[in-house]
Amino acid sequence: MSPLRRSRTTARPSVVITEGAQGIRDAQGIRDAQGIRELTATVADGAEGPATLPDDGSGLSVGSFLASLSAAEAAGLARSAELRYFSRGDVLFSEGDEGNEVVVIHSGRVKVCGKRAGREVIFSVLDPGSVLGELSAVDGSPRSATVIALEPTEVAVISVEDFREYLLTYPRVSSELLRLVAERLRQASFRQLEFGTTQTLTRLCGTLMELSDRYGQSVGANVEVTIPLSQQELAELSGMSREALVKGLHQLRSLGWLSVDDRTIVLHDATAIRRRARLG
């Protein structure tokens, strides 16, 4: 049984979303069956030295790559990994770069984005435990998107050669990787259909509910979501312009479903917003 503990989030009827917050700072890492291995860490200024992966997997995203590994599989991955640290706004890699490394997020969050039709689009926001660059490891193609840190982020980096050897040593992990690739393909297909057939208000409601379900923290009668997304990034995640986002928030406020106070959005009727997201 894997020693990694899985975090759980549940939807709540009332939500508070705060922009620009630092986010959860729980330590995450790869658990070794005998303890925590010491790895080489590359910090922001380029200095190198010993680093110990924290003995805590409580912040890993449920169903993520790292959360799916057994103790032995996690230890095997740790043996080939190098730790790197990125500040908010740092680029982990860019679209078109050579895919020489596979990246696993230990702590922090990143956005996967690109430019389409001259406009910045956020394809997804990835949490601790997520794997990046796995497609390049499989087919050797260049990076298909740009990945940027949304907050201070620590990752494990494994060369493609070492990762392929790792998959041969632990064949069950290949099945987990295939599951994750299929899940992302399904999500991408759904978003493509949604963006092509639904109104911007519907997409905004869907994004608000997705963020609530993933990051909701109960605070009294509300649920608080602290994610480091600016209003512009929220618009890009919803597949809309910033002007359309402002208009959409105004519409929801006029219906009494939410209120806006500086950088905080309070959803007063999450049920109605969820229903609007599903109606299309």
Side-chain angles (χ1 to χ4, degrees), residues 225-243:
V225 181
T226 53
I227 57 171
L229 287 178
S230 66
Q231 196 171 76
Q232 178 63 43
E233 288 168 331
L234 182 60
E236 292 167 0
L237 183 61
S238 304
M240 57 202 302
S241 66
R242 190 174 186 278
E243 292 73 18

Side-chain angles (χ1 to χ4, degrees), residues 108-134:
R109 299 188 183 100
V110 303
K111 64 177 180 180
V112 182
C113 56
K115 283 193 175 181
R116 297 296 182 268
R119 190 171 70 184
E120 188 84 12
V121 177
I122 295 179
F123 304 127
S124 61
V125 174
L126 298 182
D127 303 319
S130 299
V131 62
L132 296 159
E134 74 283 357

Side-chain angles (χ1 to χ4, degrees), residues 1-5 31-32 57 69-72:
M1 182 176 179
S2 171
L4 295 167
R5 291 178 290 167
R31 291 285 302 272
D32 187 313
L69 301 184
S70 69

Side-chain angles (χ1 to χ4, degrees), residues 107-220:
S107 63
R109 299 188 183 100
V110 303
K111 64 177 180 180
V112 182
C113 56
K115 283 193 175 181
R116 297 296 182 268
R119 190 171 70 184
E120 188 84 12
V121 177
I122 295 179
F123 304 127
S124 61
V125 174
L126 298 182
D127 303 319
S130 299
V131 62
L132 296 159
E134 74 283 357
L135 292 182
S136 295
V138 173
D139 63 9
S141 299
R143 304 297 192 191
S144 58
T146 297
V147 176
I148 301 174
L150 287 169
E151 60 188 29
T153 300
E154 186 179 66
V155 302
V157 179
I158 308 98
S159 71
V160 165
E161 293 76 12
D162 286 343
F163 190 72
R164 289 172 178 167
E165 183 65 29
Y166 169 72
L167 293 180
L168 292 174
T169 305
Y170 300 95
R172 193 198 69 85
V173 179
S174 297
S175 298
E176 286 298 326
L177 199 62
L178 182 60
R179 175 185 65 83
L180 291 171
V181 170
E183 182 179 309
R184 288 185 184 178
L185 178 60
R186 189 177 295 110
Q187 290 174 347
S189 297
F190 175 78
R191 283 176 65 85
Q192 184 178 28
L193 176 64
E194 183 182 43
F195 284 9
T197 60
T198 61
Q199 300 176 352
T200 55
L201 185 63
T202 298
R203 297 202 295 273
L204 174 57
C205 289
T207 299
L208 293 173
M209 295 291 45
E210 178 187 349
L211 296 176
S212 166
D213 291 343
R214 288 174 65 180
Y215 305 123
Q217 297 279 335
S218 180
V219 179

Side-chain angles (χ1 to χ4, degrees), residues 60-133:
L60 298 178
S61 177
V62 175
S64 67
F65 174 73
L66 194 54
S68 71
L69 301 184
S70 69
E73 291 163 348
L77 187 66
R79 281 192 289 271
S80 302
E82 175 188 86
L83 292 181
R84 294 181 187 170
Y85 178 84
F86 296 89
S87 299
R88 172 175 168 81
D90 286 350
V91 177
L92 278 69
F93 54 77
S94 299
E95 183 174 358
D97 286 352
E98 290 186 17
N100 298 324
E101 298 170 329
V102 176
V103 177
V104 180
I105 303 173
H106 283 177
S107 63
R109 299 188 183 100
V110 303
K111 64 177 180 180
V112 182
C113 56
K115 283 193 175 181
R116 297 296 182 268
R119 190 171 70 184
E120 188 84 12
V121 177
I122 295 179
F123 304 127
S124 61
V125 174
L126 298 182
D127 303 319
S130 299
V131 62
L132 296 159

